[in-house]
Amino acid sequence: MKRLALGLALVLAASAPAGAGLEEGMAAFRRADYATALREFGPLAEQGVAPAQYNLGLMYANGHGVPPDDGQAAKWYRPAAEQGHAGAQLQLGVMYEFGRGVPQHFLQSYIWYTLAASNLPLGDGRDLATRNRDKVARRLTPAGLAWAQDQAQNFNSRDEKAARRPSAPSPGSASPAPAVAGTRKLAGNGSGFFVSREGHVLTNEHGIDSC
């Protein structure tokens, strides 16, 4: 997984619009000069540059130039993923599936894998996202699966209408997160029902099979 993540970092970041700082950070990353990469990526990540946020998350996930910290990795993957960065979406799917840096949450995992599978180019990355999405789907109830599919579709529709915002709020911002980003509360679907992390539709603190 780490080798694939590193490969995705290089391919996806190289394909994104990049300023001089990002290009210098990527060059440093390739030659394992992680101190320079961190120095270049950090300010850009704070400014909302998705490839820098993703690669900073990757450095924390793998302990490159910083102590390994899944919480910090998730913190930086998220704003990149919310801007449509496919590599970050795939990594968030992994983190939610296994509870790395975030509470384990199969609905969130399914949503992020779905988005990654729709946004990654053809190849190993998309194949992995698709396999992982289908694996997680087997852990969801039919109602939970339908809800997660709807959330992923709404996310993509939002991006199509807005042509994706140029930047996302920096980590710790008070701005409300998108519906797919919540982790500590039950996710509401606007109907009076809530969906647990296992994909059960709940109402009045009782689980039901469908709604």
Side-chain angles (χ1 to χ4, degrees):
M1 179 61 69
K2 289 185 179 180
R3 292 191 183 93
L4 176 59
L6 289 169
L8 283 170
L10 297 175
V11 171
L12 293 167
S15 66
L22 184 60
E23 292 173 351
E24 291 172 3
M26 287 307 306
F29 190 96
R30 291 188 182 96
R31 65 177 182 266
D33 180 0
Y34 299 125
T36 299
L38 185 65
R39 187 168 60 248
E40 298 294 339
F41 290 148
L44 293 172
E46 291 284 0
Q47 294 166 25
V49 177
Q53 291 169 333
Y54 171 62
N55 284 291
L56 190 57
L58 191 71
M59 292 179 74
Y60 276 107
N62 293 281
H64 291 321
V66 292
D69 189 328
D70 284 339
Q72 284 293 313
K75 169 185 172 180
W76 289 110
Y77 285 149
R78 181 179 306 284
E82 289 171 356
Q83 293 186 76
H85 192 288
Q89 291 169 343
L90 175 58
Q91 293 301 325
L92 272 184
V94 172
M95 300 190 93
Y96 275 115
E97 181 181 359
F98 296 103
R100 291 179 49 194
V102 294
Q104 188 177 50
H105 200 302
F106 297 124
L107 280 167
Q108 294 289 332
S109 179
Y110 180 90
I111 291 167
W112 289 116
Y113 280 146
T114 299
L115 293 169
S118 68
N119 292 326
L120 282 165
L122 290 173
D124 291 342
R126 180 184 287 188
D127 292 344
L128 176 63
T130 300
R131 289 196 305 272
N132 287 356
R133 178 201 64 195
D134 294 344
K135 177 179 63 176
V136 169
R138 294 193 287 272
R139 308 193 70 155
L140 303 177
T141 65
L145 178 59
W147 181 88
Q149 290 170 335
D150 184 63
Q151 292 296 302
Q153 179 61 45
N154 288 343
F155 187 98
N156 277 331
S157 297
R158 180 206 70 175
D159 281 352
E160 290 171 3
K161 291 177 181 178
R164 289 202 175 107
R165 295 169 297 180
S167 63
S170 61
S173 167
S175 301
V180 297
T183 60
R184 299 186 184 279
K185 297 181 180 179
L186 294 177
N189 63 4
S191 65
F193 295 97
F194 294 88
V195 185
S196 73
R197 68 183 58 183
E198 294 82 11
H200 297 286
V201 178
L202 308 175
T203 182
N204 296 327
E205 300 183 355
H206 296 288
I208 59 175
D209 291 330
S210 61
C211 60

